[in-house]
Amino acid sequence: MSFFNDTFTGADATNIISGHTSDSGDSWVVHAAAFGGASATIFSNTCRPNVNNFVLINPDIVAPSADYSVLSRIKRITTDADTSNGSGIAIRLSSSASLTCYLFRVRTDRMVLEKYVSGSGTNLGTRMITVAQNDEFDVELLADGSTIEVYVFDVANSLWITASGTDVSKTALFSVTDSSVTAAGTPGIAAYRNYFTFDNYQALEAGVLHPSGEDFLALTDEVEAILRTTERPEQFLNFVTSAVGYRGTPWLPIEISQTLDLVQSVKNTWFGQGSSDLGLVQTVDFSYALENTLELEGVATGGINYNLFNEMELTDSSTRGGSMWNRTASSSLTLQSHANSYNPNNKCDRRYGARTGPVASGKLTLRSVDGLHEIELRNPQVDNGRRTSFERILRETRGGSLIVYRDASWPVTQTLQFTIISTKTATLVSLRQFFLDTLGYEIQLIDWLGEEWLGVVIRPDEPFVEDGEGYWTFGFEFEGHKVGGHSGSHNLSLSSEVSFVLE
Amino acid sequence: MALLIRGPFPTNQNLIVLPNPEISNTDALGATVQTIRMMSGKVNTHIKPRNGRRKMRWVFLLGNDKAKELEDYTIDFAGSLCTVVWRDETFLGWLTLNPFEMSGEVSEFYRVTLEFEEKK
């Protein structure tokens, strides 16, 4: 929970010490350790220290506990260099005139974390970085027990400054262990002259959700739980909607729905850009199971004429915004699982009707690798078989335990079995010649679904049987491997793309 | 209720969901008893309890795509421990049937047999 915050809203030149009250209702005071004449004023709704070699101001409060965070946006507004002092925020600032606190400051060539004990300063960390005019950073200085951490977010580049570079994820710039300053004290602002301004200054208790979770449903807020205990932080966003029909009128339809909209709008600009992201991300150290689940579930019990469906809709729309501009819209969704279903004609007599899966539109084709020999056969009977056998070790120990082992490099043997009926004599002659021409050689097999295999016909000596005058039935086995890895229909990809050019 | 197969244990990062198997699925103990009759007429029994592990066999009727997905899954995890969840029971073991066979049925369906033996 925030126990102090100030956005420094007010008229320019308002004295923050004497003429301004913070958003949380407290006033600012000049700290006893500040140089004489130190003060600060409001400048474009920010706090700008005056031209003093050591401005140190603090809210006129005492922090409720020694464990809290101080946050502020710090911006360099002048071209003046400052490589020796810096401006920043303080935590656990004691009221003594002998400066005692943890202090994070930004200079024009570095960022430093220091501790002061009775006026004596010690450097706890330095990060060399060029800070130019108008660079601004969201800074958090955290004190939790003996843990002192600093987080710095580069606003312009949307990156966190780390000890060695930058990161898209929140990463501490400094993280040290120090027990020199343990009293709660107050938060504060320390500055060398008026080179930097401060905005959105707040102090938050550690160990609780911050910012406040009351504004949970506003998707522009970031809610973060930081617990430095063995507790497990959990966050829940539950939408529960239920409706109960009127007794006696069960035929009256009742519809309930829930909507989660991620909407951005950019106007009056040539280069507007917006994006919605729904990310399910967990990161843990060491060996823990990570699981993300996006569940679309429909359940209907009883009733009459119920329909269940889940939809995941990806929609992009692009409207004319000017001449000679290309606009594209695309959505892509790749699924790697399939639903198995059948359509019973009636519940008592299950007869398999329409099937799921690809439509057989091709022919069974055998072709030599050099392309010189090819034969197209009619599709085999539906009792075709596929056999996959593995090389692996299966052992039982003396204690009765079963152990199975297979090395990933051990071969997998796949065999296809086909039976083809009603083949005319002419086709049979061609097939027999094809077998002779490619005997023992690797050939290409393309089935009626477009699946491509490379392998060898291993039973060319299977007899052909003449079932009718001039019509033969035969079978053969093909041992090989699929081309391109997994089944051609294993992945279901959906994509749509629209592009147009206006002139 | 679907039959879920997760693997490889313990990360369980892969999941395949299968429909209920056909009736006539089997569930057997792995334990065996061998009787030996002595010349004196006494009968001794030699047992192999095999830690009480079970061996199950299921037959599924799957569409073309699902059958091939299962085939690919079996190839990828033929030697890996996997977890099977069915009817509120969870089993840890291996898919032991070798070779894995798919037998075509009407209209691009395949009948597939899976054999699963617990690790105990």
Side-chain angles (χ1 to χ4, degrees):
Chain A
M1 182 182 295
S2 168
F3 60 87
F4 178 84
N5 66 287
D6 198 351
T7 58
F8 305 105
T9 303
D12 280 359
T14 300
N15 190 301
I16 285 177
I17 305 303
S18 60
H20 172 74
T21 302
S22 70
D23 293 352
S24 54
D26 305 292
S27 56
W28 290 85
V29 296
V30 178
H31 192 271
F35 286 8
S39 184
T41 56
I42 290 180
F43 173 75
S44 297
N45 293 320
T46 66
C47 167
R48 187 177 185 183
N50 65 351
V51 183
N52 185 286
N53 287 353
F54 187 54
V55 175
L56 183 60
I57 62 175
N58 60 273
D60 191 13
I61 60 172
V62 176
S65 82
D67 300 333
Y68 58 99
S69 298
V70 180
L71 296 88
S72 180
R73 175 165 290 191
I74 302 176
K75 180 178 180 179
R76 179 185 176 187
I77 61 171
T78 71
T79 56
D80 301 277
D82 175 14
T83 59
S84 302
N85 299 284
S87 301
I89 53 180
I91 199 170
R92 292 182 179 172
L93 178 64
S94 81
S95 57
S96 165
S98 299
L99 186 63
T100 300
C101 67
Y102 292 102
L103 184 59
F104 171 76
R105 288 191 283 186
V106 179
R107 303 176 191 173
T108 55
D109 67 340
R110 71 192 71 184
M111 297 179 180
V112 294
L113 175 65
E114 304 161 293
K115 70 173 179 183
Y116 282 84
V117 180
S118 299
S120 176
T122 304
N123 184 285
L124 298 179
T126 302
R127 168 73 154 89
M128 302 305 294
I129 182 172
T130 301
V131 178
Q133 185 187 21
N134 295 322
D135 283 354
E136 51 187 348
F137 306 92
D138 286 332
V139 176
E140 178 181 355
L141 176 58
L142 166 74
D144 187 0
S146 59
T147 300
I148 310 299
E149 290 184 339
V150 177
Y151 298 86
V152 179
F153 183 73
D154 184 340
V155 177
N157 296 311
S158 297
L159 291 170
W160 294 91
I161 309 291
T162 68
S164 56
T166 58
D167 201 329
V168 294
S169 303
K170 185 175 182 179
T171 308
L173 171 60
F174 301 117
S175 180
V176 301
T177 301
D178 188 88
S179 303
S180 304
V181 183
T182 56
T186 70
I189 289 177
Y192 176 77
R193 302 193 173 182
N194 60 349
Y195 300 164
F196 289 81
T197 59
F198 299 82
D199 197 5
N200 296 331
Y201 188 94
Q202 55 180 323
L204 304 166
E205 288 182 74
V208 296
L209 287 172
H210 60 86
S212 167
E214 297 91 82
D215 203 10
F216 206 66
L217 294 180
L219 294 178
T220 56
D221 290 338
E222 179 180 316
V223 182
E224 187 174 13
I226 301 175
L227 294 178
R228 300 186 184 283
T229 70
T230 56
E231 295 178 29
R232 184 181 71 176
E234 292 180 334
Q235 294 172 332
F236 299 94
L237 180 61
N238 290 328
F239 292 86
V240 179
T241 307
S242 62
V244 179
Y246 287 100
R247 185 185 294 275
T249 56
W251 55 84
L252 288 179
I254 296 176
E255 188 175 307
I256 61 175
S257 66
Q258 294 171 339
T259 304
L260 178 64
D261 286 331
L262 305 180
V263 178
Q264 293 115 32
S265 171
V266 181
K267 299 179 181 179
N268 298 328
T269 175
W270 290 2
F271 301 105
Q273 181 178 6
S275 65
S276 293
D277 296 308
L278 182 63
L280 306 179
V281 178
Q282 294 122 31
T283 56
V284 292
D285 295 328
F286 304 109
S287 300
Y288 283 92
L290 300 178
E291 190 174 290
N292 284 318
T293 304
L294 182 64
E295 202 172 283
L296 304 179
E297 179 181 359
V299 177
T301 57
I304 304 171
N305 295 333
Y306 53 81
N307 293 318
L308 298 177
F309 54 88
N310 287 310
E311 288 183 1
M312 183 178 290
E313 193 175 292
L314 304 179
T315 304
D316 295 311
S317 63
S318 177
T319 58
R320 183 168 63 99
S323 62
M324 298 186 292
W325 287 341
N326 290 327
R327 300 216 185 268
T328 61
S330 66
S331 300
S332 62
L333 177 65
T334 302
L335 305 177
Q336 291 192 355
S337 63
H338 310 87
N340 186 70
S341 65
Y342 56 88
N343 190 9
N345 292 338
N346 69 71
K347 291 183 174 62
C348 296
D349 179 19
R350 295 190 172 181
R351 299 171 60 141
Y352 294 97
R355 58 170 173 81
T356 59
V359 176
S361 59
K363 292 283 189 181
L364 179 62
T365 305
L366 304 178
R367 182 186 299 141
S368 62
V369 174
D370 58 10
L372 295 178
H373 308 283
E374 179 174 327
I375 184 167
E376 189 175 274
L377 304 171
R378 65 174 300 175
N379 286 334
Q381 293 297 95
V382 293
D383 62 349
N384 61 296
R386 286 164 70 123
R387 189 191 314 132
T388 304
S389 60
F390 318 95
E391 292 295 328
R392 62 182 174 180
I393 298 174
L394 211 139
R395 293 283 186 268
E396 190 174 285
T397 68
R398 287 180 180 276
S401 298
L402 176 68
I403 298 177
V404 176
Y405 176 76
R406 176 177 175 268
D407 193 281
S409 63
W410 291 356
V412 174
T413 306
Q414 290 187 285
T415 308
L416 308 177
Q417 300 110 22
F418 302 108
T419 301
I420 301 175
I421 66 171
S422 300
T423 303
K424 293 181 180 176
T425 305
T427 306
L428 197 69
V429 171
S430 301
L431 177 65
R432 192 184 298 131
Q433 187 59 48
F434 177 88
F435 281 165
L436 285 174
D437 292 337
T438 59
L439 202 62
Y441 286 107
E442 189 174 68
I443 63 171
Q444 182 187 44
L445 182 149
I446 303 171
D447 72 9
W448 55 100
L449 297 175
E451 206 168 79
E452 188 178 328
W453 290 69
L454 283 177
V456 179
V457 173
I458 59 173
R459 299 294 301 275
D461 57 338
E462 280 283 330
F464 304 148
V465 180
E466 188 169 13
D467 293 321
E469 183 73 33
Y471 289 93
W472 300 76
T473 296
F474 69 96
F476 68 95
E477 288 192 10
F478 179 90
E479 183 177 307
H481 62 276
K482 283 191 293 282
V483 175
H486 288 301
S487 308
S489 58
H490 183 69
N491 296 327
L492 179 65
S493 296
L494 305 174
S495 67
S496 61
E497 189 169 322
V498 174
S499 70
F500 56 91
V501 177
L502 299 178
E503 298 186 19
Chain B
M1 182 182 304
L3 186 145
L4 311 179
I5 306 178
R6 286 196 171 101
F9 183 83
T11 56
N12 289 337
Q13 289 179 323
N14 291 273
L15 167 72
I16 183 167
V17 180
L18 300 174
N20 271 328
E22 295 189 316
I23 291 293
S24 301
N25 58 295
T26 64
D27 187 339
L29 279 177
T32 55
V33 176
Q34 182 186 20
T35 58
I36 299 175
R37 185 177 292 279
M38 301 300 172
M39 291 182 69
S40 62
K42 180 182 175 187
V43 174
N44 286 348
T45 56
H46 292 256
I47 63 169
K48 281 189 180 178
R50 292 194 171 93
N51 299 320
R53 69 170 187 258
R54 291 153 66 181
K55 179 188 275 192
M56 284 148 276
R57 179 183 282 251
W58 303 294
V59 179
F60 301 95
L61 187 65
L62 306 174
N64 177 75
D65 294 335
K66 177 58 76 174
K68 289 178 181 175
E69 180 187 337
L70 179 59
E71 180 188 49
D72 291 335
Y73 186 94
T74 308
I75 292 172
D76 289 340
F77 302 111
S80 304
L81 272 173
C82 59
T83 306
V84 171
V85 181
W86 188 50
R87 282 181 173 174
D88 296 328
E89 281 189 283
T90 302
F91 311 99
L92 176 66
W94 290 275
L95 297 172
T96 54
L97 193 63
N98 188 12
F100 172 86
E101 291 194 333
M102 295 161 47
S103 175
E105 296 286 331
V106 294
S107 192
E108 297 300 338
F109 274 74
Y110 287 92
R111 183 161 273 112
V112 173
T113 301
L114 279 186
E115 194 173 272
F116 179 86
E117 195 160 345
E118 280 189 299
K119 173 192 181 334
K120 278 193 176 175

